[in-house]
């Protein structure tokens, strides 16, 4: 890869208008291993102009042409699979097993799923004598985060291509390498010039310029709720569609008819995946009060059995968190849990034993957490689990919903009917019953301050389409 200091605009690798660079840090070593260029409004203007021009023709392509393009992208992605996985290990600190089997794999999953969706998606139908047509919304600005980087890129780019939109992508500046490789994938696949453009940069320099740009018709953003608010405000003056997938504080409800030890152990592992850096991580575990002791013991054993260490080790489950900033925030939240009186079951502040370098966090479990504590209310984005207890089913439903977030909820029960009943009462965009296998065609997105709109599969495609009614299209 030789394009770290360039942007991909109008089918070419170009230098920034104003040179400005930033170190990219390996979180496992705390050392810079490369540099990228940071863009400006002038770079965004160039990319948007290219996308606007390309939209004129790309929006008129046929389903067959876009299917062929997506298949070529998939083939080019598979040819660079190892490079993408290795980049994610280097820039994010994702353990090699996670990077290869989950992080890079989900990119293939979204491409494959979107090809399947596009094959049968109904872009038009008749409603009496009126034609209802779904057409590409236009130029899309995409702002993606660092935690599951290729996932968030492909779950935006794939439906945009399928819809006939053109786009400008700003990936996270602290985990940008996989996005640069993805731009090389798009070039190798023969994506027409201007359809896909990449401008690296930070939020103030590039994100704001994209959000405010009058020639961008839609912003699709994944990241923190705080940043989402700023983007929505910046986009308001141009009345563009703002599609957001934001933070979460997901509840994991264990009912009294479930195998508590098994459900707790699986919940701990799920919570700590990707070093706890997942917006839908099940970070609030609710257990029946009578099983408090069993749950705490099972959580301690599960957390202490997880291997933390160098991302290059295939046996490692938890690598470092992404940055010193995130490390410090997580340490402060762990200390807040201790100060507010929660019971520290295992873990705590500081690095794990034997790890003196890198942004490693001790896998941490708190018990006796109350709903008013910060660790129960704020998104920590690290390997920290809070265990809360409840007495009745009605109480746990109320406690689970008592959050400003609404991205996901988890329900574990020996009775599918009980779990189904609770799922209907969860104020969240997703509910997962009994730790199911993932579904890339299920709608992904949140209620409340977890965002608006949906991604993945047919639901993601719908977000990139405008609806047109042609009245009198057919004779009455």
């Amino acid at each position: 890869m030789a394009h770290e200091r360039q942007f991909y605009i109008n089918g070419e690798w170009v230098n920034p208008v104003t040179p400005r660079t930033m170190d990219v840090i390996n979180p496992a070593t705390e050392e810079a291993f490369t540099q990228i260029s940071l863009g400006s409004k002038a770079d965004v203007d160039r990319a948007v102009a290219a996308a606007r021009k390309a939209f004129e023709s790309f929006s008129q392509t046929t389903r067959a042409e876009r299917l062929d393009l997506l298949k070529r992208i998939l083939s080019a992605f598979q040819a660079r699979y190892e490079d993408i996985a290795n980049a994610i290990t280097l820039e994010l600190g994702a353990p090699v097993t996670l990077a290869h089997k989950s992080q890079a794999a989900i990119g293939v999953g979204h491409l494959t799923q979107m090809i399947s969706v596009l094959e049968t998606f109904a872009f038009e139908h008749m409603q009496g004598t009126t034609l209802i047509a779904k057409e590409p919304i236009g130029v899309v600005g995409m702002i993606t985060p660092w935690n599951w980087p290729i996932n968030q890129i492909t779950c935006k780019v794939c439906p945009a291509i399928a819809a006939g939109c053109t786009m400008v992508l700003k990936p996270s500046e602290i985990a940008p390498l996989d996005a640069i490789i993805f731009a090389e994938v798009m070039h190798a696949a023969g994506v027409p010039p201007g359809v896909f453009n990449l401008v690296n940069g930070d939020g103030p320099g590039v994100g704001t310029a994209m959000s405010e740009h009058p020639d961008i018709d839609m912003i699709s953003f994944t990241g923190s709720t705080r940043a989402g608010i700023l983007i929505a405000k910046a986009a308001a003056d141009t009345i563009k569609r703002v599609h957001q997938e934001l933070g979460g504080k997901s509840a994991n409800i264990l009912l009294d008819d479930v195998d508590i030890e098994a459900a707790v152990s699986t919940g701990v592992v799920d919570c700590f995946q990707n070093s706890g850096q997942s917006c839908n991580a099940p970070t609030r575990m609710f257990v029946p009060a009578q099983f408090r002791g069993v749950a705490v013991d099972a959580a301690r054993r599960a957390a202490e059995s997880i291997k933390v260490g160098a991302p290059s080790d295939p046996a490692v489950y938890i690598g470092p968190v992404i940055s010193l900033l995130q490390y410090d925030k997580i340490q402060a939240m762990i200390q807040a849990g201790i100060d507010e009186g929660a019971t520290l079951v295992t873990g705590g502040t500081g690095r794990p034993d034997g790890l003196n370098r890198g942004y490693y966090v001790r896998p941490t479990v708190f018990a006796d957490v109350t709903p008013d504590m910060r660790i129960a209310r704020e998104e920590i984005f690290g390997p920290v689990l809070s265990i809360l207890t409840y007495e009745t089913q009605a109480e746990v439903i109320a406690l689970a919903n008592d959050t400003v977030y609404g991205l996901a909820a988890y329900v574990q029960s020996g009775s599918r009917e009980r779990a189904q009943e609770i799922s209907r009462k969860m104020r969240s965009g997703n509910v997962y019953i009994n730790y199911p296998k993932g579904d890339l065609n299920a709608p992904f997105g949140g209620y409340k301050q977890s965002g608006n709109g949906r991604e993945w599969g047919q639901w993601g495609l719908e977000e990139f389409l405008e609806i047109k009614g042609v009245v009198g299209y057919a004779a009455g």
Side-chain angles (χ1 to χ4, degrees), residues 27 30 72 110 142 147 153 182 290 299 313 377 398 404 411 472:
E30 303 183 40
R72 298 200 312 267
H110 284 306
M142 301 174 175
N147 61 321
I153 289 171
F182 185 78
Q290 68 266 35
D313 184 346
R377 306 204 68 81
V404 298
V411 183

Side-chain angles (χ1 to χ4, degrees), residues 81-376:
Y81 189 95
E82 291 297 314
D83 294 336
I84 291 168
N86 291 337
I88 292 172
T89 291
L90 193 61
E91 65 191 358
L92 178 60
V96 291
T97 302
L98 176 72
H100 283 74
K101 293 186 176 180
S102 296
Q103 289 271 6
I106 202 168
V108 172
H110 284 306
L111 278 159
T112 304
Q113 185 65 47
M114 189 50 59
I115 290 168
S116 177
V117 168
L118 182 56
E119 286 174 341
T120 59
F121 188 85
F123 288 95
E124 296 182 354
H125 72 273
M126 294 301 299
Q127 180 177 283
T129 61
T130 298
L131 173 69
I132 308 299
K134 296 178 179 179
E135 300 179 344
I137 193 169
V139 176
V140 181
M142 301 174 175
I143 302 174
T144 56
W146 47 262
N147 61 321
W148 286 86
I150 209 68
N151 166 61
Q152 281 114 345
I153 289 171
T154 53
C155 78
K156 297 180 192 302
V157 171
C158 294
I161 293 285
C165 294
T166 59
M167 64 214 75
V168 179
L169 169 67
K170 187 206 88 67
S172 168
E173 68 274 22
I174 58 176
L177 297 192
D178 67 287
I180 296 171
I181 298 172
F182 185 78
E184 295 173 347
V185 165
M186 299 293 274
H187 186 81
V191 176
V195 170
F196 172 86
N197 304 275
L198 168 72
V199 178
N200 275 311
D202 55 20
V206 173
T208 299
M210 289 170 61
S211 301
E212 295 176 342
H213 206 290
D215 286 332
I216 287 182
D217 301 292
M218 171 182 172
I219 289 287
S220 181
F221 170 72
T222 301
S224 70
T225 297
R226 178 195 60 80
I229 292 168
L230 295 174
I231 287 169
K233 289 179 177 179
D237 288 342
T238 50
I239 319 297
K240 56 173 56 74
R241 183 180 298 178
V242 179
H243 170 275
Q244 298 185 324
E245 193 272 290
L246 307 176
K249 192 69 179 177
S250 300
N252 186 7
I253 299 172
L254 279 57
L255 297 181
D256 57 10
D257 59 1
V258 77
D259 181 334
I260 294 293
E261 288 194 29
V264 167
S265 297
T266 302
V268 169
V269 171
D270 279 7
C271 179
F272 292 169
Q273 185 188 43
N274 202 37
S275 302
Q277 299 170 128
S278 298
C279 50
N280 62 344
T283 55
R284 293 183 298 146
M285 180 179 286
F286 291 90
V287 300
Q290 68 266 35
F291 295 123
R292 183 261 182 207
V294 174
V296 168
D297 288 344
R300 178 187 293 108
R301 289 194 301 273
E304 293 178 353
S305 71
I306 291 174
K307 185 172 182 177
V308 185
S312 58
D313 184 346
V316 160
Y317 188 75
I318 295 180
V321 296
I322 184 66
S323 66
L324 177 60
L325 177 64
Q326 289 297 121
Y327 177 85
D328 287 342
K329 286 181 178 178
I330 296 164
Q331 296 300 309
M333 289 300 297
I334 293 172
Q335 188 61 52
I338 295 170
D339 294 344
E340 291 184 341
T343 299
L344 182 62
V345 175
T346 189
T349 56
R351 292 180 176 85
D353 292 343
L355 294 171
N356 299 316
R357 191 180 193 188
Y359 308 125
Y360 295 96
V361 175
R362 299 173 69 188
T364 298
V365 176
F366 284 104
D368 305 313
V369 178
T370 57
D372 59 314
M373 292 180 181
R374 288 182 64 196
I375 56 173

Side-chain angles (χ1 to χ4, degrees), residues 334-451:
I334 293 172
Q335 188 61 52
I338 295 170
D339 294 344
E340 291 184 341
T343 299
L344 182 62
V345 175
T346 189
T349 56
R351 292 180 176 85
D353 292 343
L355 294 171
N356 299 316
R357 191 180 193 188
Y359 308 125
Y360 295 96
V361 175
R362 299 173 69 188
T364 298
V365 176
F366 284 104
D368 305 313
V369 178
T370 57
D372 59 314
M373 292 180 181
R374 288 182 64 196
I375 56 173
R377 306 204 68 81
E378 298 180 26
E379 186 175 38
I380 300 174
F381 230 59
V384 182
L385 174 69
S386 296
I387 299 177
L388 301 89
T389 59
Y390 69 93
E391 298 289 347
T392 67
Q393 185 167 303
E395 180 190 12
V396 75
I397 291 169
L399 289 172
N401 285 330
D402 182 22
T403 171
V404 298
Y405 298 108
L407 185 55
Y410 300 73
V411 183
Q412 321 306 326
S413 177
S415 164
R416 189 162 297 275
E417 291 74 17
R418 285 185 72 191
Q420 290 169 343
E421 176 190 355
I422 289 178
S423 73
R424 295 187 179 94
K425 297 177 180 178
M426 290 295 98
R427 296 287 297 164
S428 61
N430 293 105
V431 182
Y432 302 94
I433 293 176
N434 291 340
Y435 303 120
K437 182 181 178 181
D439 180 0
L440 291 183
N441 200 40
F444 186 86
Y447 288 16
K448 299 186 283 186
Q449 291 187 28
S450 287

